[in-house]
Amino acid sequence: MAASLDAPQPQATSYGQPLPLALHRVTGAMNALGTLWILALMVLINVDVAGRNLFAAPLRGVPELVALSIVGIVFLQLADTLHRGRFTRAEVLLGHLQKARPLVADVLHALYHAVGAALMLVILWASWTPLVESVRIREYTGAIGDFQAPVWPIRLITLIGLGVTALCYLLLLAADLRRARSRRRAA
């Protein structure tokens, strides 16, 4: 039985659609924070370079801060990258399947999101102990007497980013399954 021409067609994918719990706003805010962090790093690096070249006096700790910041920025922007559908995927195959066999494409998207959620949860679980240990031993980067920065805030940002990304994967998985069920009923 063919679907009616007047019946609303399901979205091709869940990417870019509003998420339950307004999670898309949270991921967008995390992405914006990561972008502002990048801008601050650019200023810091330029001040360091100017200090080195003009005054032979570099800013202390810039390499350490940059190294820590890269990790923090990646995990802040991870969930929004997923929500917008900008993770690396086999677009040629999925694009073709979306046109020829949309139900199969929905199932593959659901499988992709299930595996992604499982991976994020495993990494989240594995990252908990290093955070606790980092706080316990007061882990820092840098050299005593020169520059020191605590490591635990970046580890915490990593956990938050992993948790939000895992939740985003699970919500996208649920949307994929709803869309597949809708297509199956319409067929």
Side-chain angles (χ1 to χ4, degrees):
M1 177 168 136
S4 167
L5 293 177
D6 295 335
Q9 295 298 313
Q11 292 284 336
T13 67
S14 302
Y15 298 122
Q17 302 299 315
L19 294 171
L21 311 171
L23 189 66
H24 58 283
R25 292 179 195 254
V26 173
T27 64
M30 289 171 62
N31 189 7
L33 184 59
T35 301
L36 290 174
W37 197 345
I38 290 169
L39 293 173
L41 274 181
M42 288 173 42
V43 170
L44 185 67
I45 291 168
N46 282 308
V47 168
D48 180 49
V49 169
R52 286 176 191 270
N53 291 324
L54 299 176
F55 308 111
L59 286 180
R60 295 181 188 266
V62 171
E64 291 87 353
L65 289 176
V66 169
L68 287 174
S69 294
I70 290 170
V71 175
I73 291 165
V74 165
F75 283 96
L76 277 174
Q77 295 184 327
L78 198 62
D80 197 56
T81 303
L82 171 64
H83 171 248
R84 295 179 185 277
R86 294 192 176 136
F87 269 15
T88 302
R89 294 175 294 143
E91 290 294 328
V92 173
L93 173 64
L94 288 173
H96 174 70
L97 281 175
Q98 199 64 50
K99 293 175 187 166
R101 308 270 307 202
L103 180 60
V104 173
D106 290 340
V107 171
L108 282 177
H109 273 110
L111 180 62
Y112 169 75
H113 291 135
V115 170
L119 180 63
M120 290 300 122
L121 291 171
V122 166
I123 298 170
L124 179 69
W125 178 260
S127 299
W128 176 254
T129 302
L131 170 64
V132 171
E133 189 65 12
S134 180
V135 170
R136 187 184 71 74
I137 67 171
R138 296 182 181 160
E139 182 182 11
Y140 66 89
T141 186
I144 295 173
D146 182 34
F147 174 83
Q148 291 178 281
V151 174
W152 71 265
I154 299 302
R155 292 191 187 277
L156 180 60
I157 289 169
T158 300
L159 264 100
I160 292 168
L162 286 166
V164 173
T165 304
L167 183 57
C168 191
Y169 265 121
L170 291 171
L171 292 173
L172 290 171
L173 168 63
D176 293 335
L177 294 175
R178 280 192 307 273
R179 191 174 50 257
R181 193 171 29 245
S182 172
R183 286 189 205 281
R184 194 166 191 189
R185 285 185 191 144

